[in-house]
Every structure is written in structure tokens, then in C-alpha cells.
Amino acid sequence: MKTKAIKVYTWLSKQPKPTKKMSTEKLTQPDQTKTIRDLLDNHTRGIPLGVKTRQGEYFDTPIPRFDDLTDMLEYKAQLMDRNKELNKQIKAEKQAALDKLKKIPATGPEDLQSSPVLEPSADK
């Protein structure tokens, strides 16, 4: 049985040919390119590029943009205060629900034995 010889490649030897065939299909459309000058002019004038941009969905929460670090720190402090208030409100609601459950009389096995039991009638 013949065995294949092991080939060792160094930086001086010829490199093996790539096995993956790359596609020669072009994905660009004609007249899709713009010069750098056109891009900069449009950017400074506020003209969009004409490409689809993905906008995130932030639902009801506004996402602020800060120009100054102090504004960001103030906003963070406001969020922390709001977080504390909401946690207090949640804790109060949980405590109220727990108190409401404690006021409901429990029906234990002794209560079930003393309750009247309906006997099937013999009138059938």
C-alpha cells in the first residue's frame, strides 16, 4: 500500500493554490457610485445618502442625546431616583397584596369537617 508523502510548507516554498472558487458576479448597480466630494457636500448640507438606514425601535422610552457630561450625570441621577420610587411602589403593592391575602380566612381541614354535608336524597 502506498502512502502519501507529507508536504511541509515554509515561507520560501510555493504556497498551495486556494481551493475555494470565488464568485465573479458583480453586486453593484450602474451609477451607484459617488465621489468623495459629492458625499462630503451632501453630508454638510444634510442630504441623506439614499440608502436604507435601520432605525431602532425604542417604544415609549425616549433616548436622549447629550452634548455635555454634566447633562448625562443629571439624567443618570434622575433615572436612579425614578428607579428608587418605582421599587418603593412595587414593594408597597406587594405588601398590600400580602396583607389582603392574610385577611382572607383560611379554610382548613377542621372547617371542612364541621360544615354540613349534603346527603343524597332517597326521593328518586
Side-chain angles (χ1 to χ4, degrees), residues 90-116:
I90 290 170
K91 190 174 181 181
E93 288 176 2
K94 283 183 179 180
Q95 188 63 37
L98 187 62
D99 291 342
K100 187 176 179 181
L101 284 175
K102 286 181 180 179
K103 288 181 182 178
I104 297 174
T107 56
E110 62 278 350
D111 293 339
L112 293 175
Q113 290 174 356
S114 64
S115 64

Side-chain angles (χ1 to χ4, degrees), residues 47-89:
I47 300 172
L49 294 174
V51 296
K52 292 181 182 180
T53 57
R54 295 181 180 166
Q55 297 291 330
E57 294 183 23
Y58 299 111
F59 306 104
D60 296 336
T61 307
I63 306 297
R65 296 183 67 117
F66 302 109
D67 296 329
D68 191 11
L69 287 177
T70 56
D71 295 338
M72 183 178 61
L73 293 175
E74 289 174 3
Y75 183 71
K76 180 181 176 184
Q78 291 173 359
L79 286 178
M80 295 301 286
D81 291 340
R82 184 173 176 211
N83 186 23
K84 287 178 185 177
E85 290 173 10
L86 289 175
N87 284 337
K88 286 179 185 177
Q89 182 180 357

